């Protein structure tokens, strides 16, 4: 990823925060997500609840706005996420742990389990974790915003 691309994303986030009157410190890091590099812009603020919102809804909207603005500034496709006080990072770890716990219960009792509704982003994280667990199958069922993952015991035939 080009250094000027990283700066464009950071500057866009910084400008939006300034316009919102939010005093924050920004940092960037990189994570590998499957076969692609992912830029993470982490915002550090004293009161994160306004930016995060209930179940991360405000953060999702903020990130969407940043993406739209960045697309007008550069032509290069950029894989990035905006995080606040490592909320998304912690959420990803929680979802992975939840996937392992649910699969363990399903393997122990042989019964399927329906998880609570999740965004497509969160479902993808859970599916990616479940695909690595032998004896488990998973599928998404339902219609947004109530789409859920059903985890089943996969009998080998």
């Amino acid at each position: 990823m080009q250094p000027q691309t990283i700066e464009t994303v950071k500057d866009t986030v910084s400008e939006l925060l300034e316009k919102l009157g939010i005093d924050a410190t920004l940092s960037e890091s990189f994570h590998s997500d499957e076969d692609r590099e992912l830029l993470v812009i982490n915002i550090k603020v004293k009161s994160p609840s306004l930016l995060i919102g209930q179940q991360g809804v405000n953060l999702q909207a903020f990130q969407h706005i940043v993406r739209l603005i960045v697309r007008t500034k550069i032509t290069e496709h950029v894989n990035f996420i905006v995080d606040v006080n490592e909320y998304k990072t912690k959420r990803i770890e929680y979802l992975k742990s939840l996937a392992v716990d649910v699969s363990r219960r399903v393997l122990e009792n042989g019964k399927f389990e329906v998880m609570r509704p999740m965004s497509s982003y969160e479902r993808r994280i859970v599916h990616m974790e479940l695909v690595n667990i032998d004896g488990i199958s998973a599928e998404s069922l339902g219609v947004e915003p109530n789409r859920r993952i059903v985890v089943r015991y996969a009998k080998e035939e």
Side-chain angles (χ1 to χ4, degrees), residues 71-103:
R71 282 187 198 146
T72 66
K73 294 181 178 183
I74 57 175
T75 57
E76 175 186 356
H77 178 71
V78 187
N79 289 318
F80 71 90
I81 63 170
V82 178
D83 202 354
V84 175
N85 291 12
E86 298 181 353
Y87 168 81
K88 281 189 178 179
T89 304
K90 293 172 187 170
R91 182 78 180 154
I92 289 168
E93 291 309 311
Y94 165 75
L95 290 169
K96 287 179 177 181
S97 175
L98 179 64
V100 170
D101 291 346
V102 168
S103 65

Side-chain angles (χ1 to χ4, degrees), residues 18-42:
E18 188 177 313
K19 288 178 181 180
L20 290 169
I22 297 174
D23 184 33
T25 305
L26 301 182
S27 63
E28 81 266 357
S29 60
F30 295 92
H31 297 282
S32 293
D33 183 16
E34 293 174 22
D35 59 344
R36 60 186 178 158
E37 186 176 53
L38 181 67
L39 169 64
V40 179
I41 303 295
N42 194 43

